[in-house]
């Protein structure tokens, strides 16, 4: 049960890995300070803020926004840390409100990794303050507790940090605001809530969104904490991680919908923050009598349409997984019951021969078929509902979520905000192979990608010519790289290519000719060494700067944008040092914005033995042909993965890359 705190109240934390979720009526800066047992912040390196977002055990957002999620691992904090204070501030020089009294009261919640709220606090009573200490997490008697603070400062961040004993308060405050102003063009501002006539405590008057079709199976659901692996030793499909949509459940259905009766109005406002709740989903057309409501694109909660669509896609993913699980469970039950009836029948020797035995067998099979047919009717109904929803969702997807055949790419414009997620392929089940669910992964990438071009990886790969498989793998990798470039603002994402033997020249040609790569594809052992040394140096410098709280001291020639390293022909051209550097980039790179995209056959690197096993496990394995190697996190189905493909004869990839190159030259204008 959630503890609704008031100012000064505390609550014991039942776990140490937490998320702190912040929502406000306008973009705010979220950060945190670490203090010793006296409550003093010893130095600037003890403050996490947009300019230095990562500290041991703590990560805060990199820009101002109306909704934030802060990650906290109390066990990973240094032993000298006894207090973590969550800080909120209004950004300066961005044209936003000048005081907290002019906006809706911020709301802060402490949740577990499963999204369940542990404690929450609404910061009421603020007026002229421009910065506020929202919550404190503190050690007490060997345990951690949370305290609602709500202490505002009209003197801003400088006054707040000075009050916490930080000698460099003014310098840190200036660095925070400078980083915020630099990222202002990419800040996400929530749309204004649409208020319809009705009771004052409701936002809109919409009907309930999609009801997940089919009951969830009573058994067989894996633990939600199953760690993803790249190459499971058992040969079982890789479990996909649960979506991490800010502030909403993965199924795309708000918790208040569970209390709806008969499809009546749903209150999408936060029960304790009416003024700052996410806007409701679009108004659905009236449902026909006795039938389901017509599907609507964006039928999920979220601050933006992209977030709504992300949640809706994951909701469709879960709905399909559960309704198929219900059908399979019913079919298995019917088969098992028929077997039991036949066993009982045949246990009597008199029924083993003659007309009575035959009739009993036919009756048992008829009962089995009746149960399976009834389950199939329910499944077909749910599949029809999901297919209708997919038909309206797919055309509404933004470029980052859309397939290459989506018309959105023909109207492509260089974006000015970082995307929330990226489509890396489609998923489907054998019960309905025509119903495809987009596979969306959150950005920035938490794991690198591995395009497996080995012929022993799957049955489909084994029946494909080796040269064709390698060509498809390279084209898939080039498509992923092009999509990542296209969905990021100009200059915020760079792609490097290692092609030691030059076998990927054709596939990487569109990237090289358009001029969107950080440099020509590196060839030969010397090119491999130079590129790996450059990216390794970047990871080392940024990691040290973040840990020391000295990100303003990074060399001026260091590119602050996200980096993607595409590796072909591994391990050709790699010596032992290069292999070590590659493993280092796979392990440490994602935390500081360096990601891997490998095109490789694991058998080619068999000479390294188990040394490379951690590398393969680090990466999310994808295939250039259809393959059943991914599992959902709800019931563990083996899903068929389909890689993204450009339409035959289409020049959409070249057109998009040309637009990306033009956007870089003009700065996106």
């Amino acid at each position: 049960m959630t503890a609704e705190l008031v100012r000064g109240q505390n609550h014991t934390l039942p776990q140490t890995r937490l998320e702190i979720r912040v929502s406000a009526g306008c973009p705010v800066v979220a950060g945190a300070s670490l203090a010793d047992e006296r409550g003093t912040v010893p130095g600037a390196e003890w403050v996490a803020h947009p300019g230095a977002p990562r500290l041991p055990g703590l990560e805060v957002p990199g820009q101002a926004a109306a909704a934030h999620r802060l990650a906290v691992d109390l066990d990973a904090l240094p032993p000298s840390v006894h207090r973590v204070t969550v800080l909120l501030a209004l950004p300066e020089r961005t044209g936003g409100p000048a005081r907290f009294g002019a906006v809706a009261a911020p709301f802060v919640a402490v949740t577990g990794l499963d999204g369940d709220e542990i404690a929450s606090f609404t910061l009421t009573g603020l007026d002229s303050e421009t910065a506020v200490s929202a919550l404190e997490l503190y050690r007490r008697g060997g345990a951690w507790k949370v305290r609602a603070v709500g202490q505002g400062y009209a003197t801003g961040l400088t006054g707040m940090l000075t009050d916490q004993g930080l000698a460099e308060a003014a310098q840190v405050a200036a660095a925070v605001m400078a980083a915020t102003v630099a990222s202002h063009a990419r800040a996400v501002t929530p749309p204004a809530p649409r208020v319809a006539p009705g009771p004052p405590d409701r936002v809109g008057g919409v009907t309930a969104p999609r009801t997940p079709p089919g009951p969830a199976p009573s058994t067989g659901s894996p633990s939600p904490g199953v760690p993803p692996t790249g190459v499971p030793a058992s040969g079982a499909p890789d479990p996909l991680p649960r979506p991490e949509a800010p502030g909403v459940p993965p199924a795309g259905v708000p918790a208040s919908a569970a209390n709806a009766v008969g499809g009546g109005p749903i209150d999408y406002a936060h029960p304790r923050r009416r003024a700052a709740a996410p806007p409701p989903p679009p108004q659905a057309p009236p449902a026909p009598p006795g039938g389901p409501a017509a599907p609507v694109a964006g039928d999920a909660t979220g601050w933006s349409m992209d977030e709504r669509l992300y949640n809706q896609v994951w909701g469709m993913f879960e709905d399909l997984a559960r309704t198929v699980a219900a059908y399979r469970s019913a079919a298995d039950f019917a088969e098992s019951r028929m077997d039991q009836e036949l066993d009982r029948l045949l246990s009597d020797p008199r029924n083993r021969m003659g007309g009575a035995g035959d009739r009993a067998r036919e009756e048992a099979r008829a009962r089995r078929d009746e149960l399976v047919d009834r389950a199939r009717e329910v499944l077909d109904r749910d599949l029809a509902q999901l297919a209708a929803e997919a038909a309206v969702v797919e055309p509404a997807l933004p470029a980052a979520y859309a397939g290459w055949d989506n018309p959105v790419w023909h109207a492509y414009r260089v974006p000015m905000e970082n995307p929330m997620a990226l489509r890396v392929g489609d998923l489907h089940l054998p019960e309905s192979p025509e119903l495809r669910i987009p596979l969306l992964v959150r950005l920035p990438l938490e794991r690198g990608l591995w395009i497996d071009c080995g012929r022993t990886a799957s049955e489909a790969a084994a029946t494909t010519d080796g040269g064709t498989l390698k060509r498809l793998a390279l084209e898939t990798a080039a498509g992923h790289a092009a999509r990542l470039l296209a969905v990021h603002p100009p200059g915020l994402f760079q792609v490097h290519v290692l092609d030691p033997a030059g076998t990927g020249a054709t596939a990487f040609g569109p990237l090289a000719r358009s001029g969107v790569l950080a440099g020509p594809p590196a060839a030969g052992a010397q090119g491999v060494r130079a590129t790996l040394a450059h990216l390794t140096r970047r990871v080392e410098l940024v990691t040290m700067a973040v840990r020391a709280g000295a990100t303003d001291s990074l060399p001026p020639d260091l590119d602050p944008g996200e980096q993607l390293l595409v590796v072909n022909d591994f391990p050709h051209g790699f010596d032992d040092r290069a292999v070590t550097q590659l493993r280092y980039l796979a392990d440490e790179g994602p935390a500081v914005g360096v990601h891997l995209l490998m095109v490789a056959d694991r058998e080619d690197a068999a000479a390294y033995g188990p040394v490379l096993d951690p590398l393969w496990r680090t990466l999310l394995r994808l295939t250039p042909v259809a393959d059943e190697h991914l599992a959902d996190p709800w019931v563990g189905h083996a899903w068929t993965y389909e890689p993204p493909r450009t339409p035959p004869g289409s020049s959409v990839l070249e057109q998009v890359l040309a637009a990306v190159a033009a956007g870089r030259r003009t700065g996106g204008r």
Side-chain angles (χ1 to χ4, degrees):
M1 182 176 179
T2 303
E4 300 180 21
L5 305 180
V6 297
R7 187 174 279 108
Q9 187 178 2
N10 60 51
H11 181 72
T12 301
L13 294 171
Q15 52 191 285
T16 57
R17 297 187 67 188
L18 308 166
E19 282 188 347
I20 299 174
R21 301 183 178 184
V22 179
S23 58
C26 69
V28 297
V29 181
S33 62
L34 307 180
D36 56 23
E37 58 186 358
R38 299 186 302 274
T40 301
V41 179
E45 68 277 7
W46 287 49
V47 181
H49 57 81
R54 295 183 180 91
L55 296 178
L58 178 64
E59 183 173 356
V60 304
Q63 62 186 26
H68 290 292
R69 299 174 72 184
L70 290 69
V72 181
D73 186 351
L74 298 174
D75 289 336
L77 294 173
S80 56
V81 174
H82 287 257
R83 183 181 302 174
V84 181
T85 303
V86 178
L87 317 174
L88 303 179
L90 293 173
E92 299 175 357
R93 305 190 303 277
T94 61
R99 59 189 182 90
F100 273 110
V103 299
F107 175 79
V108 185
V110 180
T111 75
L113 295 184
D114 56 2
D116 291 341
E117 284 190 10
I118 300 171
S120 62
F121 176 43
T122 302
L123 285 74
T124 58
L126 299 177
D127 187 11
S128 60
E129 296 88 344
T130 59
V132 60
S133 296
L135 293 175
E136 285 182 351
L137 311 179
Y138 62 98
R139 298 181 195 260
R140 180 62 55 86
W144 283 90
K145 294 186 175 183
V146 57
R147 177 188 292 120
V149 181
Q151 175 63 54
Y153 293 83
T155 51
L157 275 176
T158 301
M160 181 194 306
L161 295 174
T162 300
D163 197 36
Q164 296 181 10
L166 179 61
E168 307 99 318
Q171 295 91 324
V172 173
V176 172
M177 291 305 164
T180 304
V181 171
S183 64
H184 175 60
R186 302 185 299 276
V188 179
T189 304
R194 297 177 296 175
V195 180
D201 62 342
R202 293 192 180 275
V203 179
V206 299
T207 56
R210 175 187 69 253
T211 300
S218 58
T219 61
S221 297
S223 168
V226 176
T229 56
V231 186
S234 64
D238 292 350
L240 291 169
R242 287 181 179 269
E244 298 180 0
V248 294
V253 180
S256 57
N259 298 322
V261 179
I266 301 300
D267 185 359
Y268 284 89
H270 194 287
R272 295 175 294 281
R273 291 195 68 255
R274 302 297 179 189
Q283 178 72 44
V296 176
D299 187 11
T301 55
W303 287 110
S304 66
M305 190 61 174
D306 287 4
E307 184 178 345
R308 292 177 179 177
L309 289 168
Y310 173 84
N311 294 330
Q312 188 173 13
V313 167
W314 271 89
M316 294 165 59
F317 187 11
E318 181 177 8
D319 290 348
L320 182 55
R322 293 197 183 279
T323 193
V324 169
Y327 167 73
R328 292 180 180 178
S329 178
D332 290 343
F333 170 77
E335 193 72 28
S336 175
R337 194 176 79 165
M338 183 191 71
D339 292 341
Q340 292 174 7
E341 290 178 352
L342 292 177
D343 287 343
R344 287 195 300 268
L345 175 69
L346 297 177
S347 64
D348 187 347
R350 293 171 298 178
N351 296 329
R352 294 175 186 173
M353 298 179 65
D358 293 339
R359 285 193 299 272
R361 293 185 185 92
E362 291 300 326
E363 291 173 358
R365 294 189 180 99
R367 285 190 291 270
R368 185 272 314 270
D369 294 342
E370 180 185 4
L371 288 175
V372 173
D373 290 343
R374 285 164 54 189
R376 185 71 208 196
E377 288 178 6
V378 174
L379 175 65
D380 290 341
R381 181 198 65 200
D382 294 341
L383 292 177
Q385 182 179 343
L386 285 168
E389 186 172 12
V392 298
V393 168
E394 188 71 37
L397 294 177
Y401 306 173
W404 286 114
D405 56 349
N406 192 306
V408 70
W409 287 109
H410 296 285
Y412 168 78
R413 292 188 177 182
V414 176
M416 296 307 296
E417 295 180 355
N418 285 328
M420 181 177 178
L422 185 80
R423 185 173 186 159
V424 295
D426 294 338
L427 299 171
H428 63 85
L429 291 172
E431 283 79 1
S432 182
E434 70 281 355
L435 179 56
R436 306 297 177 92
I437 303 295
L439 175 55
L440 304 180
V441 297
R442 289 295 301 271
L443 293 178
L445 293 171
E446 297 179 358
R447 307 168 63 189
L449 303 178
W450 166 30
I451 312 300
D452 188 356
C453 59
R455 295 193 64 197
T456 61
S458 67
E459 182 178 349
T463 58
T464 305
D465 174 71
T468 301
L469 195 65
K470 185 62 180 289
R471 174 181 58 80
L472 293 175
L474 288 169
E475 291 175 354
T476 301
H480 286 315
R483 182 184 291 264
L484 282 164
L485 284 166
V487 301
H488 282 85
L492 295 188
F493 199 92
Q494 300 289 343
V495 174
H496 310 259
V497 174
L498 288 183
D499 190 19
T503 59
T506 301
F508 299 136
L511 293 167
R513 290 191 297 271
S514 62
V516 297
L517 295 177
Q526 183 176 357
V528 170
R529 287 194 296 269
T531 303
L532 290 176
H534 169 72
L535 292 177
T536 300
R537 171 180 176 269
R538 183 191 184 282
V539 172
E540 291 173 343
L541 289 176
V542 175
T543 300
M544 289 188 294
V546 169
R547 290 175 178 173
T551 54
D552 54 345
S553 301
L554 289 169
D557 62 335
L558 189 141
D559 185 353
E562 300 276 319
Q563 311 287 315
L564 177 71
L565 175 61
V566 183
V567 180
N568 182 34
D569 277 337
F570 178 80
H572 180 79
F574 283 74
D575 54 21
D576 290 345
R577 177 179 175 79
V579 170
T580 301
Q581 289 176 321
L582 191 69
R583 287 187 55 189
Y584 174 75
L585 293 178
D587 292 336
E588 306 295 334
V592 291
V594 176
H595 313 282
L596 287 184
L597 173 55
M598 293 187 62
V599 180
D601 179 358
R602 192 175 182 181
E603 294 299 320
D604 291 343
Y608 287 93
V611 173
L612 290 180
D613 285 351
L615 172 64
W616 306 120
R617 288 196 295 267
T618 300
L619 306 173
L620 174 61
R621 175 175 170 261
L622 303 175
T623 54
V625 293
D627 185 34
E628 298 179 359
H629 70 282
L630 295 174
D632 65 80
W634 300 285
V635 294
H637 291 317
W639 292 72
T640 299
Y641 166 79
E642 294 274 0
R645 292 270 184 262
T646 55
S650 172
S651 60
V652 61
L653 188 64
E654 290 77 6
Q655 294 173 3
V656 169
L657 290 174
V660 171
R664 291 190 168 197
R665 291 191 296 269
T666 62
R669 295 186 296 272

